[in-house]
C-alpha cells in the first residue's frame, strides 16, 4: 500500500545539498511546497531548517494582494548578504508571483530561477541547467497537471492534520482576483490518487485531512477510459469519510453559487466530516457582488446559509470579506456589516481591496475608495467580527465537544490545544492525553479566539 517515495519525515541529512523552502499565501501553496520537496528529495536534496545552511533557497510566493508581493521583494533584498557569503547559493522563486511577474523577477540580482505553479516536475532540470551560467525560467501553465502521482513530503510538525489538493486552478473570474491568471484553468485530480494519499496519511498516524481547491464544489472527475464513471465532490467526500471513522475530513473553499445540497447531506451522514463550512461572501451588497462577478445575490447567499442551518444545525460558517472594492458606497459597506450579523460568522478573513494588474476590475473599474476609507471600513469589519466570534464562542459554554489534539497550548505545557469539529480552537488540561487523541471536552469559558474547558470523564 505504501508508495515507494512516500515519507512522513523530510530527509534531514547534512551531507546532501540543502534546500530551504519558505511558503507564502494560501493552503494550496503549503500543499505545493510539499510536492516541491518530494521532487527535490528524489533528485538528492535534503530539507534544512536554517536558511544560513541552504545551498538552494526557494520562495513559494503569493500574488493575491500587493502587500503579499512587496514582502517577497523585501525578502530578496535580504538575500543579497547571503549570496555574498556563499557564491554558490541558488535562489529560486516559485508560485503565483513567479507566474505573474516572470522575467521581472528573473532580472532581480539575486534570483537564479523562476518556476510557475505547474512546472515543479521540471525543477531538477532547471537546477541542473544553471551550471551553464544562465538563469532559468519555466512558467508554462498546464491544462492537465495535478501532480496526482507525486506523494507530497509532509513538512508540518504535528503529524495529525494534513492538506490534500484535489484540484488546481480556477475558472470563476471574480473581477478582483488574480488566481485564474496565475493558477490557470480548473482541473480535478483523479480520485484514486486522492484516496491513496488519504489512506497513506491515515496509516502513518494522521487523523485529519483537509481537501483543498479554490472551488471544491466544482470538483468533477470522469474516468477517461470509461466516461460514464464520474465522481462529484459529494461522492469524493463520502469516499474519504469511509476510510475510517477516526479520520476527520475538512474541505475548503466552498463557493456560494456552487455549493450543492448533496454536499450538505453527505456532511450530515458522516460524523467524521467536520461541521464547518468556509463560505466566502466578500460583500453584502448586491451592486458590489455583481461588480465582483460573484454570480450570487445577497438573498441567494442567505438562502444557502438557511439550508446549511436546516441540514447541519451545529455547523459553523466562516467567510472572507473585502473592504473598499471599486465603487463601494457607505451603504454598500453597511450591507457588508449587516450580512455578517445576519449569518453570525464564527470567524473571518478580512482584507482591504488591493487592485491586481490586468484583472477585470483593474481594467474596468476605478480603484476609487480612498485608502483611509478602506482602512476605516476594514477596522469596522474586524471589530464586528470580534464581537461575533465572542458571541459564537459564548454560545458554546456548557456544551461538550470532541476535540482532536494538535499540540500544546502556547501559554502552558500542561494544557493541550485542539480543534472541535466546528473548527474552533479549544484548550484544556492535558491529563494523560497526547497529540493525535480525541478528547471529549466540556467548555467552561472562552475568549473571542479560543474555547477553554475540561475533559468529560
Ligand atoms: N477561491 C476562494 C478564495 C481564494 S483567495 C474563494 O473564492 O473564496 C482568498 C481571499 O482573498 C478571497 O476570498 C478574497 O476575500 C481575497 N482576495 C482575493 N483577491 C483580492 C484582492 N484583489 N484584494 C483583496 N482581497 C482579495
Ligand atoms: Fe479567485 Fe473567485 Fe476563483 Fe476564488 S473563486 S480563486 S476569488 S476567481
Ligand atoms: Fe494562493 Fe496567493 Fe496563489 S492565495 S493561489 S498563493 S495568489
Amino acid at each position: 500500500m505504501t508508495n515507494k517515495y512516500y515519507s512522513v519525515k523530510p530527509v534531514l541529512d547534512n551531507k546532501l545539498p540543502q534546500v530551504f523552502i519558505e511558503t507564502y499565501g494560501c493552503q494550496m501553496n503549503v500543499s505545493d511546497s510539499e510536492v516541491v520537496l518530494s521532487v527535490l528529495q528524489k533528485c538528492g536534496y535534503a530539507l534544512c531548517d536554517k536558511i544560513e545552511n541552504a545551498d538552494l533557497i526557494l520562495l513559494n510566493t503569493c500574488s493575491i494582494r500587493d502587500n503579499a508581493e512587496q514582502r517577497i521583494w523585501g525578502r530578496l533584498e535580504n538575500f543579497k548578504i547571503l549570496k555574498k557569503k556563499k557564491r554558490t547559493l541558488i535562489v529560486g522563486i516559485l508560485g503565483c508571483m513567479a507566474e505573474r511577474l516572470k522575467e521581472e523577477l528573473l532580472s532581480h540580482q539575486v534570483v537564479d530561477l523562476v518556476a510557475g505553479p505547474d512546472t515543479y516536475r521540471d525543477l531538477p532540470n532547471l537546477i541542473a541547467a544553471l551550471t551553464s551560467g544562465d538563469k532559468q525560467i519555466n512558467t508554462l501553465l498546464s491544462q492537465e497537471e495535478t501532480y496526482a502521482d507525486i506523494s507530497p513530503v509532509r513538512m508540518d510538525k504535528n503529524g495529525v492534520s494534513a492538506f490534500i489538493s484535489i484540484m488546481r486552478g480556477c475558472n470563476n473570474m471574480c473581477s478582483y482576483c488574480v488566481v485564474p491568471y496565475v493558477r490557470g484553468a480548473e482541473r480535478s485530480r483523479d480520485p484514486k490518487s486522492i484516496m491513496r494519499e488519504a489512506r497513506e496519511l491515515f496509516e502513518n498516524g494522521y487523523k485529519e485531512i483537509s481537501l483543498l481547491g479554490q472551488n471544491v464544489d466544482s470538483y468533477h472527475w470522469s474516468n477517461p477510459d470509461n466516461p460514464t464513471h464520474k465522481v462529484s465532490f459529494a461522492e469524493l467526500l463520502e469516499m474519504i469519510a469511509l476510510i475510517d471513522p477516526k479520520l476527520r475530513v475538512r474541505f475548503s473553499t466552498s463557493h456560494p453559487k456552487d455549493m450543492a445540497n448533496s454536499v450538505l447531506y453527505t456532511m450530515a451522514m458522516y460524523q467524521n466530516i467536520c461541521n464547518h463550512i468556509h463560505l466566502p461572501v466578500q460583500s453584502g451588497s448586491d451592486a458590489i457582488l455583481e461588480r465582483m462577478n460573484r454570480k450570487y445575490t445577497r438573498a441567494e447567499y442567505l438562502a444557502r446559509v438557511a439550508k446549511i442551518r436546516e441540514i447541519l444545525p451545529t455547523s459553523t460558517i466562516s467567510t472572507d470579506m473585502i473592504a473598499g472594492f471599486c465603487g463601494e458606497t457607505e451603504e454598500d459597506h453597511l450591507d457588508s456589516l449587516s450580512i455578517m450579523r445576519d449569518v453570525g460568522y464564527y470567524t473571518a478573513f478580512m482584507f482591504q481591496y488591493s487592485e491586481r494588474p490586468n484583472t477585470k476590475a483593474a481594467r474596468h473599474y476605478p480603484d476609487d475608495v480612498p485608502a483611509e476609507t478602506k482602512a476605516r471600513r476594514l477596522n469596522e469589519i474586524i471589530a464586528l467580527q470580534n464581537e461575533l466570534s465572542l458571541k459564537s464562542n459564548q454560545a458554546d459554554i456548557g456544551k461538550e465537544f470532541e476535540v482532536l489534539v494538535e499540540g500544546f497550548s502556547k501559554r502552558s505545557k500542561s494544557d493541550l490545544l485542539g480543534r472541535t469539529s466546528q473548527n474552533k480552537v479549544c484548550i484544556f488540561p492535558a491529563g494523560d492525553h497526547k497529540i493525535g487523541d480525541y478528547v471529549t471536552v466540556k467548555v467552561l469559558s472562552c475568549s473571542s479566539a479560543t474555547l477553554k474547558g475540561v475533559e468529560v470523564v
Side-chain angles (χ1 to χ4, degrees):
M1 178 54 60
T2 305
N3 183 299
K4 176 161 98 174
Y5 301 121
Y6 192 84
S7 154
V8 282
K9 288 243 162 21
V11 175
L12 293 167
D13 181 342
N14 58 19
K15 286 188 234 45
L16 295 171
Q18 306 282 300
V19 56
F20 184 86
I21 308 178
E22 231 169 65
T23 306
Y24 296 82
C26 64
Q27 295 169 338
M28 312 276 296
N29 255 15
V30 175
S31 171
D32 279 4
S33 287
E34 296 179 336
V35 166
V36 167
L37 182 58
S38 174
V39 170
L40 288 176
Q41 284 196 346
K42 275 182 247 167
C43 77
Y45 274 90
L47 186 71
C48 71
D49 49 10
K50 288 203 183 66
I51 198 162
E52 312 81 66
N53 298 337
D55 302 294
L56 168 63
I57 298 175
L58 295 174
L59 298 186
N60 195 0
T61 60
C62 173
S63 280
I64 202 84
R65 285 167 289 276
D66 184 58
N67 56 10
E69 293 192 346
Q70 293 313 321
R71 277 174 79 186
I72 299 298
W73 290 118
R75 201 73 187 111
L76 291 179
E77 288 309 300
N78 300 339
F79 292 171
K80 285 183 179 165
I81 308 163
L82 287 174
K83 273 220 151 177
K84 263 202 196 107
K85 280 196 199 140
K86 192 190 256 184
R87 295 264 168 216
T88 56
L89 174 65
I90 302 170
V91 174
I93 310 291
L94 314 178
C96 299
M97 197 177 160
E99 193 61 49
R100 197 178 86 74
L101 295 175
K102 302 182 170 73
E103 267 82 17
E104 194 178 330
L105 272 167
L106 198 68
S107 58
H108 189 284
Q109 187 189 334
V110 304
V111 175
D112 301 292
L113 86 93
V114 169
D118 287 345
T119 70
Y120 299 148
R121 286 178 203 272
D122 195 31
L123 278 170
N125 301 329
L126 293 169
I127 294 167
L130 286 171
T131 50
S132 68
D134 294 334
K135 295 185 178 209
Q136 298 294 318
I137 181 165
N138 185 352
T139 53
L140 280 179
L141 283 173
S142 155
Q143 302 278 336
E144 291 94 31
E145 181 62 273
T146 59
Y147 300 114
D149 57 315
I150 298 184
S151 289
V153 181
R154 306 291 157 185
M155 284 192 267
D156 58 280
K157 305 264 171 356
N158 72 12
V160 175
S161 45
F163 299 135
I164 298 184
S165 293
I166 61 165
M167 57 206 294
R168 298 181 73 78
C170 183
N171 288 348
N172 275 319
M173 304 305 257
C174 301
S175 62
Y176 51 81
C177 185
V178 78
V179 170
Y181 302 91
V182 295
R183 291 267 167 180
E186 179 192 287
R187 61 222 104 121
S188 297
R189 180 175 165 189
D190 184 338
K192 271 209 274 345
S193 77
I194 299 171
M195 288 295 287
R196 189 204 65 218
E197 202 175 318
R199 281 205 196 93
E200 285 173 359
L201 284 164
F202 186 65
E203 282 162 13
N204 281 289
Y206 282 79
K207 297 280 171 57
E208 183 177 275
I209 280 168
S210 298
L211 305 176
L212 301 181
Q214 294 298 352
N215 180 0
V216 289
D217 301 289
S218 62
Y219 175 88
H220 62 96
W221 187 83
S222 41
N223 188 340
D225 303 323
N226 174 12
T228 55
H229 175 206
K230 291 187 164 63
V231 177
S232 69
F233 180 59
E235 288 160 345
L236 178 71
L237 205 50
E238 179 167 45
M239 283 157 67
I240 306 270
L242 284 169
I243 291 176
D244 196 289
K246 286 285 174 205
L247 180 66
R248 271 188 178 181
V249 191
R250 297 188 184 279
F251 57 88
S252 174
T253 299
S254 303
H255 197 300
K257 77 173 164 60
D258 293 324
M259 188 170 211
N261 287 347
S262 56
V263 171
L264 302 177
Y265 288 119
T266 306
M267 290 173 76
M269 252 160 62
Y270 297 94
Q271 59 74 34
N272 56 330
I273 305 179
C274 290
N275 268 321
H276 164 230
I277 297 172
H278 187 55
L279 194 72
V281 71
Q282 315 295 359
S283 166
S285 148
D286 281 341
I288 296 292
L289 288 171
E290 166 95 45
R291 219 169 298 148
M292 287 178 162
N293 197 29
R294 288 290 286 179
K295 301 208 162 88
Y296 52 83
T297 61
R298 178 188 176 106
E300 284 163 351
Y301 182 92
L302 289 173
R304 248 341 32 221
V305 169
K307 201 74 194 168
I308 295 171
R309 300 265 187 254
E310 177 197 320
I311 301 172
L312 301 162
T314 63
S315 179
T316 49
I317 303 176
S318 53
T319 189
D320 295 348
M321 300 298 299
I322 298 180
F325 185 63
C326 313
E328 188 187 72
T329 62
E330 208 52 33
E331 208 185 334
D332 295 324
H333 168 59
L334 292 176
D335 284 344
S336 287
L337 295 176
S338 73
I339 203 167
M340 290 171 69
R341 276 211 185 82
D342 287 353
V343 180
Y345 296 111
Y346 88 97
T347 193
F349 299 96
M350 300 156 283
F351 314 101
Q352 285 184 43
Y353 172 59
S354 164
E355 185 176 86
R356 308 314 293 130
N358 301 321
T359 53
K360 187 175 173 214
R363 285 182 279 120
H364 295 284
Y365 313 124
D367 181 11
D368 53 3
V369 177
E372 329 64 269
T373 309
K374 277 186 192 169
R376 194 249 310 149
R377 289 181 186 165
L378 177 64
N379 284 337
E380 289 175 11
I381 286 174
I382 293 172
L384 171 59
Q385 187 51 53
N386 284 339
E387 221 180 88
L388 296 175
S389 298
L390 183 62
K391 213 167 127 197
S392 166
N393 284 353
Q394 280 168 341
D396 287 342
I397 292 176
K399 294 187 192 157
E400 293 176 8
F401 295 93
E402 187 177 61
V403 174
L404 172 60
V405 179
E406 292 174 14
F408 290 95
S409 148
K410 280 193 196 97
R411 296 227 180 109
S412 156
K413 280 273 173 226
S414 57
D415 288 342
L416 291 172
L417 174 151
R419 273 169 208 275
T420 65
S421 168
Q422 288 75 6
N423 206 33
K424 290 188 180 180
V425 171
C426 182
I427 290 175
F428 61 95
D432 293 332
H433 292 293
K434 55 184 190 318
I435 294 171
D437 284 357
Y438 285 101
V439 184
T440 305
V441 174
K442 181 170 185 170
V443 178
L444 300 179
S445 65
C446 70
S447 66
S448 63
T450 319
L451 303 175
K452 288 195 183 122
V454 289
E455 181 183 5
V456 179
V457 278

